[in-house]
């Protein structure tokens, strides 16, 4: 690892400290170095607060003049919630800028690097590019498509069952896996389940971590608005945001008003085959600045997203249990693939042991090949 990679690794570590807290902005870390000595560090804490580069410059002070700045993402060059970082970098007298990856935001997209070069700074880009893109994978999709990055989470037995034939599913995986799920929730802006999951399990879907600040929006895909008023989601909606997506024209009389009075948002969206249209739902979520969406649906909702090719990332929690039974459900219902050629294929697989369980992460190969990841 050369010096640039070493300091960029530190910038990425700093950026990751704000995981789940910067939406709709990306996570960014910055380090200012001179003669191998770190003079200043910073990372973007949340939207509306100073950017990483500005914080690092502020810490370095006058020593930033003639130094090298490492940034995990291309510095912005436009006025948003905060002034352009490129201007701050130029004013500070930084001599050299090393960037991990360009910013896909159309307002930036290479213009930040160009502004720095035009000001006479030496610029190097592409240092730990893949690592930087993976860190901000949700932002990279959202800022271009204005739709959330969808992560599917499923807990299952070794033989691929998410419940027994009687519907018993608590708990398939161990406490360590369930704790990790809480962290995954905290990294996303919304959590989505289907009405079947609500009727069967009555989940709360909150982030249950001691230091949790974020409250992801809890969303239910409920084509005919069957959600019970006594469900935990409805009962807690005034303190923890909740929304229900229903097919247009299928709200029972008075129920939308009743839910709204209790703090639940009701979104009337187009339907497809009697179910909420997946693309319309994603567009609605995107319009509300939901950058990362965690799909914790049952087999029907999961199958709808799979059929729509709307899943960007899969996380499978696999417990060392054998449930068996032809009627015990798996994570994906519906008709499924007719042949193997039509079955989604995952790549970039990662596997780790968490407690007694295995956690397998993968990405659809078509997304990978299309440039969603590199």
């Amino acid at each position: 690892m050369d010096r640039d990679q070493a300091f960029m690794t530190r910038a990425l570590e700093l950026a990751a400290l704000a995981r789940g807290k910067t939406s709709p902005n990306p996570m960014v870390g910055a380090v200012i170095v001179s003669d191998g000595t770190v003079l200043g560090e910073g990372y973007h804490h949340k939207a509306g607060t100073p950017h990483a580069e500005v914080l690092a410059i502020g810490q370095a002070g006058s020593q930033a003049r003639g130094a090298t700045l490492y940034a995990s993402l291309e510095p912005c060059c436009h006025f948003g919630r905060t002034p352009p970082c490129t201007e701050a970098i130029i004013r500070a007298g930084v001599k050299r800028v090393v960037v991990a990856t360009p910013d896909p935001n159309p307002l930036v997209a290479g213009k930040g690097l160009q502004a720095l070069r035009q000001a006479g700074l030496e610029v190097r880009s592409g240092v730990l590019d893949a690592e930087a893109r993976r860190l901000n994978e949700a932002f990279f999709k959202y800022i271009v498509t204005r739709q959330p990055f969808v992560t599917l989470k499923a807990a299952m037995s070794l033989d691929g069952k998410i419940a027994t034939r009687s519907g018993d599913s608590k708990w398939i995986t161990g406490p360590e896996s369930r704790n990790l799920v809480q962290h995954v929730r905290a990294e996303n802006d919304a959590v989505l389940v289907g009405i079947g999951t609500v009727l069967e399990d009555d989940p709360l879907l909150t982030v249950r971590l001691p230091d949790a600040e974020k409250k992801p929006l809890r969303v239910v895909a409920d084509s005919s608005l069957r959600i019970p008023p006594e469900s935990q989601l409805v009962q807690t909606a005034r303190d923890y945001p909740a929304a229900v997506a229903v097919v247009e024209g299928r709200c029972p009389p008075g129920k939308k008003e009743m839910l709204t009075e209790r703090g639940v948002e009701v979104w009337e969206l187009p339907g497809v085959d009697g179910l909420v249209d997946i693309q319309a739902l994603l567009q609605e979520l995107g319009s509300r600045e939901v950058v990362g969406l965690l799909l914790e649906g049952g087999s029907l909702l999961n199958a709808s997203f799979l059929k729509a090719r709307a899943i960007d990332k899969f996380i499978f929690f696999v417990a060392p249990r054998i449930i068996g039974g032809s009627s015990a459900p798996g994570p994906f219902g519906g008709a499924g693939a007719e042949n193997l050629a039509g079955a989604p294929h995952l790549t970039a697989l990662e596997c780790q042991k968490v407690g007694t369980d295995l956690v397998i992460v993968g990405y659809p190969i078509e997304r990978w090949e299309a440039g969603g990841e590199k």
Side-chain angles (χ1 to χ4, degrees), residues 67-216:
T68 296
L69 182 145
Y70 294 86
S72 61
L73 188 68
E74 176 183 5
C76 66
C77 55
H78 66 288
F79 281 91
R81 290 182 171 98
T82 59
C85 288
T86 50
E87 292 185 6
I89 293 169
I90 294 167
R91 282 198 309 270
V94 170
K95 181 180 180 180
R96 179 171 180 258
V97 175
V98 180
V99 172
T101 189
D103 188 339
N105 186 343
L107 295 174
V108 186
K111 300 182 185 71
L113 300 179
Q114 182 181 9
L116 294 173
R117 289 190 175 104
Q118 288 178 343
L121 280 70
E122 179 187 345
V123 177
R124 180 186 179 190
S125 180
V127 178
L128 301 186
D129 176 87
E131 291 85 346
R133 290 169 64 89
R134 178 71 67 88
L135 178 68
N136 278 307
E137 58 192 2
F139 171 79
F140 268 64
K141 178 188 177 183
Y142 171 79
I143 200 63
V144 174
T145 67
R146 293 296 168 177
Q147 290 191 6
F149 181 94
V150 180
T151 299
L152 178 140
K153 183 276 296 182
M156 66 183 75
S157 62
L158 199 58
D159 58 333
K161 306 294 185 180
I162 62 173
T164 67
R165 67 178 187 274
S166 66
D168 183 18
S169 61
K170 294 184 178 179
W171 296 100
I172 290 178
T173 54
E176 296 87 354
S177 288
R178 298 198 296 275
N179 181 65
L180 180 55
V181 168
Q182 296 300 315
H183 287 276
V184 175
R185 279 184 188 170
E187 293 173 10
N188 284 273
D189 302 308
V191 179
L192 174 66
V193 298
I195 183 59
T197 297
V198 174
L199 296 175
E200 183 71 28
D201 299 331
D202 190 21
L204 193 55
L205 300 178
T206 56
V207 175
R208 296 184 288 278
L209 295 172
D211 57 346
E213 298 178 5
K214 190 172 183 178
K215 293 183 176 181

Side-chain angles (χ1 to χ4, degrees), residues 342-362:
H345 191 89
L346 303 189
T347 189
L349 292 178
E350 296 178 359
C351 182
Q352 64 173 311
K353 189 173 182 182
V354 176
T356 59
D357 305 324
L358 293 179
V359 180
I360 302 172
V361 179

Side-chain angles (χ1 to χ4, degrees), residues 192-267:
L192 174 66
V193 298
I195 183 59
T197 297
V198 174
L199 296 175
E200 183 71 28
D201 299 331
D202 190 21
L204 193 55
L205 300 178
T206 56
V207 175
R208 296 184 288 278
L209 295 172
D211 57 346
E213 298 178 5
K214 190 172 183 178
K215 293 183 176 181
L217 174 65
R218 301 168 299 167
V219 185
V220 181
D222 183 3
S223 58
S224 54
L225 208 58
R226 292 187 292 153
I227 188 168
E230 64 274 12
S231 66
Q232 292 194 90
L233 283 163
V234 175
Q235 293 295 318
T236 58
R238 293 197 184 280
D239 299 318
Y240 208 111
V244 180
V246 60
V247 174
E248 293 171 328
R250 294 183 61 181
C251 292
K255 190 158 187 184
K256 177 179 179 179
E257 292 73 18
M258 180 273 292
L259 291 172
T260 301
E261 288 175 0
R262 299 190 182 194
V264 180
E265 295 184 49
V266 178
W267 306 337

